[in-house]
Structure formats: C-alpha cells, structure tokens
Amino acid sequence: MKSHEGKTVITEAELHRVATQALTALGLSDVAAADTADILVLADLFGVSTHGTSRIESYGERLSIGGIEAQPDIQVERVAPGMAKVNGNNGIGPLVGQSALKTAMELARDNGIGVAFARGSNHFGPVSPYCYIAANAGFASFIGSNATTTIAPWGGREARLGNSPIGFGIPNPGGTPIILDMAMSVVARAKIRNAAKQGRTIPASWATDRNGAPTENPNEALEGFLQPIGGHKGYGLALIVDLLAGVLAEAAYLSHVKSWVNAPDQPQNLGHFFILIDTSRLGSDTWLSSRIGDFIDIIHSTPPVEPSTPVLLPGEIEMMNLLRQRREGISIDRATLDTLARHARA
C-alpha cells in the first residue's frame, strides 16, 4: 500500500476485502456484502470514484436509520420465458442490481434474450460495472435506472425528472468490451458545487435558476435545475428511462421517488431495467471478435482534429483505467479508506 497527495494505492483484492468487511459490519450478509463490493470496486477501477466504495459512507448512514434494509428478502418472479420481475424489498442498490443482472443473464442464456425489471431498490452505483460483467459473460446489454428528481420537464420550472443513467455494453471476445454509461444532464451537480466553491461562473448550458432560466451563476444553479443533454431530446430520453425503470418495473417514478437527502429514513423504491442479449446465439466468438475488431479499427483510424488527442470509443478511458489499476493498484482517497476501516472495526 502506497500513499501520495491524499491518495492511497491499494490492490483490488485488498480494497474488495475492506469494502466487504465494512458492508458486513453495517449488517449485510457475507454474500450480499461481496456482491455489493463487486460493483463499487469496479467503479473505482474504472476511475468513477464518486460512485465507488466512497458511497459506502452514505449507504451506511441510511442503513443505520432504517432507510435501507440490510438483509432484504429479494424475490424473483418469472412472468414470461424471457422476462422477470425482481422485488428488492428496499435492499442496498448494488445488491438489488446484481440480483436483477444475474436473473437477466439466466433468462438470456435460456432464451437468447432476457429482461429483468427491478423495484424496491436504491442508488445502485454506476451502470458501467453491470454492463462490464454482462459483456464478459457474452451478453450485449441495455441497462438503466431512475433517480431522485433534479431535472425539469422541457419548458417547465419545477423538477419532475431524475438524472436517470443508462448504459450499453457490447462484448468483445479476446479484448475489452465497448461500454457507454451516461446520465441525462449536461454535467453532474458536483461540478456546479465545485464552481460555486471556487467562485467561478458556469456555462449557461449546464443548469437553470429556480425559474427555469439558463444561468451562469453556480449558486443560482444549485437552487434550480440541471439542464438535460440535447435540450428537449434529453428530456424525452430521461422520460423514457423513467417509464421503463419506474412505471413498467412497478417502482416509484418521477416525483414519487423519495430523496435520500431530504427523507433518508424512507425507502426510495427506485427501479432498474436490465435487457440482455446472448450474442452466442448470433455467431461464434471468432465471428464477433472479427467484426468488433474491424469496427474499432475504423473508429480509431479516424484522423483526429488534434494530433495529440486520438479518437477514442465510449468507455475506452475507463477500460484503460481498469487495466492500469489492476496492474499498478487502485488510487483511493485516504479519507475513504479510513471510513471503510472505521466501519469494518465497528
């Protein structure tokens, strides 16, 4: 373990062990804690530390006051040959997400395509780890979740939609998968908070004030709403994600979703959807690898605008982070490790 500039470099195995111990101390079973840690450690490996093991602190706060059930009775109901409903019974989000992912994988193995709708969940981390796990097992994926309201409907001045993430994953036999993981806002609220702390203005495309007017003032933006990507198109996409993850999954939706900031002791009842395709039904690994390789070559050979900045695929930076940190160790804030160690000792 090495330390520098407020960071500690730790092996994947050690981070997983400490995270699992912390989650077990917070009340999760050994198996549930390990499944949850799988998702959060992958987020750290990808370099998405805001959604990695640092989240255990806020999960722990809600677990301690009953806002999340430590040992939920997660139930799976198969409603069609390739479709299932998963009731997370207010379990920790990554655990419910793992249960739904495994269910969808089983269905896709049996039927070529599998769909799992999850309800009774909470924040389940980033989408990319689920897409990565699915891709490594040979499944193409379309995965999404709804979220607490932070976005106003296009033309409105009151938040009714969440910054709901979606992700897509395509397997690449013998190589790294292609993964797109994105939320619905132009930027995360954290970037606006940082601008406010530093006294900087922000682009007017990032957010609106409380009246729905675009603003360059970060403090006004924090009292207003995030701007969706692509204007009305992003609004429409966020709406469809909530229809899939909220309405069809029988979860809460739109303003029915509880805020874990304002109501941390109440179940959020977030919903997720997992749509998986077994690519082995379409052709052999050799067939897919050849086509994906040619696809990647065409993109990579695009002449860049800046010679020093080559054209990359979605998720390629995260995949490079994964390979590097598995080789060299994961860089984690010491404060995060201290929090994990404190929970583990409790």
Side-chain angles (χ1 to χ4, degrees), residues 14 18 33 37 39 49 51 79 95 122 128 130 135 149 153 158 166 213 234 264 280 282-283 292 302 334 336 344:
E14 180 64 11
V18 174
I39 298 299
S49 58
H51 289 59
V79 296
L95 175 61
N122 293 278
S128 50
Y130 302 99
T149 55
E158 186 172 294
I166 56 171
S280 70
L282 302 172
I292 293 293
T302 305
R334 281 202 292 268
T336 296

Side-chain angles (χ1 to χ4, degrees), residues 130-342:
Y130 302 99
C131 294
Y132 179 78
I133 293 169
N136 281 343
F139 300 101
S141 60
F142 173 30
I143 300 169
S145 174
N146 61 5
T148 304
T149 55
T150 53
I151 296 174
W154 192 247
R157 57 186 182 90
E158 186 172 294
R160 297 292 174 92
L161 285 161
N163 191 13
S164 303
I166 56 171
F168 302 84
I170 305 295
N172 180 18
T176 54
I178 299 172
I179 294 174
L180 171 64
D181 180 352
M182 57 181 276
M184 295 299 109
S185 64
V186 175
V187 297
R189 189 173 288 271
K191 288 191 175 182
I192 299 174
R193 290 196 192 98
N194 289 339
K197 288 178 182 178
Q198 297 166 10
R200 295 186 290 104
T201 59
I202 60 172
S205 60
W206 281 14
T208 70
D209 61 21
R210 67 174 66 183
N211 295 313
T215 181
E216 296 181 354
N217 185 320
N219 294 305
E220 291 180 355
L222 290 172
E223 295 179 357
F225 320 109
L226 296 175
Q227 291 269 43
I229 55 172
H232 65 283
K233 295 180 180 180
Y235 155 60
L237 187 55
L239 188 143
I240 293 298
V241 172
D242 209 344
L243 283 168
L244 288 166
V247 173
L248 295 189
E250 292 187 274
Y253 51 86
L254 300 178
S255 53
H256 293 312
V257 176
K258 299 288 186 182
S259 167
W260 80 351
V261 174
N262 299 326
D265 60 333
Q266 298 180 37
Q268 283 193 291
N269 191 20
L270 286 186
H272 322 306
F273 63 86
F274 294 76
I275 303 173
L276 268 57
I277 299 166
D278 182 357
T279 59
S280 70
R281 303 292 187 102
L282 302 172
S284 68
D285 281 357
T286 301
W287 166 83
L288 182 57
S289 178
S290 174
R291 292 180 65 79
I292 293 293
D294 181 55
F295 187 99
I296 292 172
D297 287 344
I298 292 172
I299 297 299
H300 279 172
S301 64
T302 305
V305 174
E306 295 291 338
S308 61
T309 308
V311 175
L312 298 176
L313 291 152
E316 193 165 358
I317 291 174
E318 287 76 10
M319 292 301 102
M320 288 189 288
N321 287 338
L322 172 76
L323 295 174
R324 175 180 53 79
Q325 293 200 112
R326 278 188 163 159
R327 183 178 62 251
E328 301 174 1
I330 306 173
S331 181
I332 295 287
D333 284 334
R334 281 202 292 268
T336 296
L337 282 179
D338 289 345
T339 298
L340 297 180
R342 186 176 68 254

